[in-house]
Amino acid sequence: MRYDPKGNSIDRAVDGVRFEEIEPPARLKSIVHRFLELKTEGLLKDDYRFHALPDACTYAIFDQQKPVVAGITRLRASFQELNLGRSFHFINVRFLPGVWQSERSPVELGSIEEPYAGDLPLVAFNERLVGQSLESSVPVLVELVEMLRAWELVVENPVTEKIFSHVDDIFSVTDMAEVADLSPRQLQRVLKRTTGFSPHDFLKILRLQQSLRGEPSLAYADQSHFIHSFKKATGYTPGRYARKFDV
């Protein structure tokens, strides 16, 4: 798979914040993209603004400072700024798009701030994570993912796997349908059900992620198209975004 979400950033001047990623074991790579940790090393002078670009992923989020705060969430298909305050510690699981079975266990939109009140044992798992580094948390996170897979709340998605494996050859919804061996109408149903996005919006996310990997020509016909699309997604031109935030 070649889908590699990028585009999250912070104010350039902020020090004292650690962001770490660890790949899952090979047996989970068709379900999990990364295990993540976002943590302050002390009390920050100002509130921390986390700028998230669309990546179509679902997240399991665990607040290490408030163990009762946890949940399953995803961002909307647009740029989003989250104010995390001056002190925080989160451990997350980033699931690949389309693997979370939202019809069986709905996801939230946006950030998690309230105590978890659902049926999953997320708080119990979060209590086991508190006080551990991301590396030492991996066995607990793997146990969580394998439990969710056994309950069929996360399953491999053959349609998105085909799309990701040919992402550099996809330039239209028609291309996406051909790669997935589906009619456009079938693709519409499958993507909407498994990712929450229409094929058109899913394509926009893929193209934005492609553009963040390097030259705009990887995803857009010309630079003006890239600038217009990037600004529409993020609220900034690429130049202004790069100057203001670390990406």
Side-chain angles (χ1 to χ4, degrees), residues 31 33 164:
I31 292 175
H33 176 256
F164 298 152

Side-chain angles (χ1 to χ4, degrees), residues 38 48 50-52 57 59-63 69-76 78-85 90 92 107-116:
L38 187 64
Y48 177 100
F50 184 83
H51 301 84
C57 295
Y59 292 79
I61 297 179
F62 300 96
D63 189 333
V69 176
I72 307 297
T73 187
R74 72 170 174 83
L75 298 173
R76 297 182 187 274
S78 61
F79 169 75
Q80 192 165 5
E81 178 178 293
L82 307 175
N83 187 335
L84 301 184
F90 293 96
N92 303 335
V107 297
E108 305 244 1
L109 287 175
S111 60
I112 295 294
E113 297 176 351
E114 301 297 326
Y116 180 69

Side-chain angles (χ1 to χ4, degrees), residues 214-230:
E215 296 295 329
S217 59
L218 287 175
Y220 294 92
D222 55 61
Q223 189 173 18
S224 63
H225 185 195
F226 167 73
I227 292 172
H228 173 78
S229 298
F230 193 95

